[in-house]
Amino acid sequence: MAYTDMSLGADAIVVNPSIKSIGEIAGKRTSVEVGTVGHLLFLKALEKGGITKDKVAVVNQSADAAIASLIANRTDVAYAYEPFVSQAVASGKGKVIFSSKDIPGLVPDLMVVQQSALDRQPESIQKMLDVWYKTLAYRQTNMDEVLPIEAKQAGVSVKDYQSLLTGFKWLTPTEASAMFQPGTTAQSLVFNAEDVSSLMLKEKLITKPLPPITELIDDRFLKKTITQ
């Protein structure tokens, strides 16, 4: 397993500009994709605003549909990710009131491999991880070449894509390794997994506690990458 990057604003709760604070979400029309990381981010926003979930009626919509509803004034609150967040803000019909930047580490991207693959092809897994970090290193020193390619894949202009990148943090091998350690914030995967598991159980998104994340972490490949 590797911790590749984290969202730092690329996932957000976007609201009608008339809403001035999280506390004003209570009673508003809300569009969130239930059971996803966006739902968890929304529940965290409610916690921060001191709002109980029974004060909000949620319509289950995907991120793109939720933002379309917000822009069309069919909903007041929506969860979305980039580029939909920026599109809503640029339209003048939305503003970010809470995002993954408020809880760094809550929305990570992980490289996960089946145990059978680890057992059969450990050398291939190591090579895959090494290539990932070599690619990131190349990217860092060749942004003029890389940005147009990535922007094309994202379906946005280079200028817009550069703006979107501020919402992510790509991790070095050493930074990724630190995320696997116990901690007291969401920047520790161990803490984050326990917190998210508890929240999902409380919200009945799962029926029983998840196994400890420490049982699923295999960072030997990451450690080898660091020492090579």
Side-chain angles (χ1 to χ4, degrees):
M1 175 186 285
Y3 197 128
T4 59
D5 64 273
M6 70 170 73
S7 175
L8 287 177
D11 295 77
I13 305 304
V14 187
V15 299
N16 184 296
S18 64
I19 296 175
K20 306 302 181 185
S21 68
I22 296 176
E24 293 182 21
I25 290 177
K28 301 296 185 181
R29 297 170 297 177
T30 302
S31 298
V32 175
E33 189 167 6
V34 176
T36 66
V37 67
H39 189 191
L40 293 173
L41 185 66
F42 177 68
L43 292 173
K44 288 292 186 181
L46 293 185
E47 283 185 0
K48 183 176 180 179
I51 303 170
T52 56
K53 67 174 184 176
D54 60 298
K55 300 296 183 182
V56 182
V58 173
V59 175
N60 189 6
Q61 285 189 301
S62 61
D64 55 341
I67 284 298
S69 294
L70 182 73
I71 293 174
N73 292 319
R74 292 194 298 269
T75 195
D76 301 304
V77 183
Y79 159 75
Y81 45 79
E82 294 290 12
F84 304 120
V85 172
S86 293
Q87 290 171 358
V89 173
S91 74
K93 296 295 184 69
K95 73 174 183 181
V96 174
I97 202 167
F98 189 82
S99 77
S100 52
K101 190 174 182 178
D102 294 297
I103 313 180
L106 180 70
V107 186
D109 284 316
L110 305 171
M111 187 181 295
V112 181
V113 180
Q114 289 184 342
Q115 185 62 52
S116 57
L118 289 175
D119 294 339
R120 292 195 317 270
Q121 300 175 295
E123 298 85 1
S124 298
I125 303 304
Q126 185 67 60
K127 289 178 181 178
M128 179 178 66
L129 195 61
D130 292 343
V131 167
W132 169 260
Y133 286 114
K134 287 179 181 178
T135 301
L136 285 186
Y138 181 88
R139 180 182 183 276
Q140 187 173 7
T141 56
N142 296 273
M143 291 300 285
D144 289 344
E145 175 189 350
V146 170
L147 281 178
I149 298 172
E150 293 184 0
K152 182 179 180 180
Q153 291 297 316
V156 297
S157 69
V158 172
K159 181 180 178 181
D160 288 343
Y161 185 69
Q162 286 177 304
S163 178
L164 302 185
L165 288 179
T166 62
F168 297 90
K169 177 177 173 59
W170 302 99
L171 303 180
T172 66
T174 300
E175 289 173 330
S177 181
M179 298 296 181
F180 287 142
Q181 306 307 311
T184 58
T185 72
Q187 293 191 61
S188 160
L189 183 63
V190 177
F191 175 90
N192 192 28
E194 292 175 353
D195 188 35
V196 170
S197 177
S198 296
L199 186 60
M200 293 180 71
L201 192 63
K202 177 182 176 183
E203 298 299 326
K204 298 181 180 180
L205 297 174
I206 55 177
T207 57
K208 59 182 180 180
L210 298 175
I213 192 69
T214 50
E215 295 180 4
L216 306 177
I217 293 176
D218 185 344
D219 61 353
R220 55 185 155 141
F221 304 101
L222 184 58
K223 288 179 177 177
K224 187 173 181 179
T225 298
I226 293 172
T227 58
Q228 284 178 347

